[in-house]
Amino acid sequence: MTEPAYDLIIRGGRVATATDVFEADIAIAGETVAAVGRGLGPAKRELDAREKLVLPGGVDSHCHIEQLSAAGIMNADSFESATTSAAFGGTTTVISFAAQHVGMHLREVLDDYHALARKGAVIDYAFHMIIADPTRQTLEQDLPALIRQGHGSIKIFMTYDRLKIDDEPLLDILVAAREGGAMLCAHAENHGIISWMVKRLLARGYSDPKYHAISHARFSEAEAFNRLIGMAALVDQPIMIFHVSTAEGAKVIRDARGQGLKVFAETCPQYLFLTADDLDRPGVEGAKWMCSPPPRRGADQDALWTALSLGDLQTISSDHAPYRFDETGKLRAGPAPNFKQVANGLPGLETRLPLLFDAMVSEGRLGLEKFVELTSTAPAKIYNLHPRKGSIAIGADADIAIWDPKRRVTIADDAMHDRAGYTPYAGRTVRGWPITVLSRGRVIVDDGKLLASPGSGRFLARSGGEAAKPTGRLVADMNPETNFGAKLL
């Protein structure tokens, strides 16, 4: 008897990529897509996808997992719980953080996070390296070696008391990224403005969680974007700006890209679906909705949707940063903390794709192809995981989510699979939900059940790739032809 040609066929679904939607069967051999067509077969196993959508697994390129904050607070999730949550939401690849704090050696930090992920991850993963202590050893020894070993992106913070990188060391990090071929990612807000606002609010008794949204004055975002973009242009280093929240910030990015600068940017569901008013709740309940930057206003949501449609913003990540609403997380400083004492961050790995599917596909805001592009293909390309991740194509990893576009789900706290204990989107009803999820050809979620084991996810080594390559156009101050022959890069 002839051996079946394929291990698995997803039969009769409507397949979507970032450019096309079509009816086809998807055949899988081993861990990869072997064929896309009609009437494929035979296979050892078949999945019936009739009246369903067959989409690439999501790529969430910004999430904090099993991460210790600079204030010494461990977030709520382990790699097992976070990646399980991701899988139930249709995400099959995450890029989380290996967070250096002052006094830590970057190489040891990476080793520790790798050990945690190897133990718990149920889907594939990569790391951004957070640099908070840019010593000579970090920049000249550890960083170049770690980039070569497959850690192709760096993150810095321009705010937070224990994390912020000032302008001069930031230039050193930008040059180190350029020399290593890595992408530089940034949380860009003006620290001085935020610090001044926080002190002024608290001194006048404005301590409730809602005032967190005021403390991060919107101008602090646009100013920091401009400053970061100027420094990146000075040394010709591509950058990714994280979690854009304001109309003004989106305009800065649009202007920079219009000048031909390699500036990439993302936003997150909290800036598309929440506003500052969500923090205005009795007592300290609003702490559940505290993240940085904070949600803004309805006009900002409209501006961000426009920026996504125009390509000014290329990806939508979750910025998953879960802290429980108890003494281990949000209320570590006591039952009535001021907003400065509350851990910043929201859970969002599981709800990212359903929220966006509902808005973009079910409600028709930007369409199915754009949904796939923003949530899977574009982040895979920018972070050099494509063509292995981010699309359904022959030879790609068989990371696939089968969606029921008609299924209505009311999001609830007790339905989530992370350990935050709540979701900021509880009570929202969405139309469209992933019902079967595959990672490298393995069915890992089906009919509400997890079928993957802890540690079955794999590390994805990568360089910075095409997105991280300098433009080759030097500004006059850095160009030996126009700066009296000074070779500064």
Side-chain angles (χ1 to χ4, degrees), residues 228-264:
L228 172 64
I229 289 167
M231 287 188 282
L234 179 65
V235 300
D236 188 24
Q237 168 59 32
I239 54 172
M240 163 63 76
I241 297 178
F242 279 160
H243 43 51
V244 179
S245 69
T246 64
E248 296 91 335
K251 183 180 184 304
V252 169
I253 292 161
R254 180 167 180 78
D255 291 346
R257 288 175 61 84
Q259 297 168 28
L261 300 176
K262 285 185 82 169
V263 177
F264 302 91

Side-chain angles (χ1 to χ4, degrees), residues 406-423:
K406 298 178 181 178
R407 183 175 177 184
R408 291 183 180 273
V409 174
T410 299
I411 297 171
D413 292 342
D414 59 6
M416 297 294 100
H417 293 84
D418 60 53
R419 294 179 178 172
Y422 77 97
T423 167

Side-chain angles (χ1 to χ4, degrees), residues 16 58 183 185 206 224 254 286 292 345 350 372 410 417 450:
M183 178 65 75
C185 309
Y206 302 117
R254 180 167 180 78
S292 293
E350 191 163 351
V372 172
T410 299
H417 293 84
L450 179 70

Side-chain angles (χ1 to χ4, degrees), residues 28 32 44 56 61 63 71 103 109-110 115 144 155 170 213 230 242 271 280 290 354 408 421 425 430 469 488:
I28 298 166
T32 62
K44 297 176 184 176
S61 53
C63 41
V109 169
L110 262 295
K155 182 184 180 182
L170 176 49
F242 279 160
Y271 308 115
D280 187 9
M290 282 181 57
R408 291 183 180 273
Y425 307 104
V430 296
K469 290 182 180 178
L488 301 176

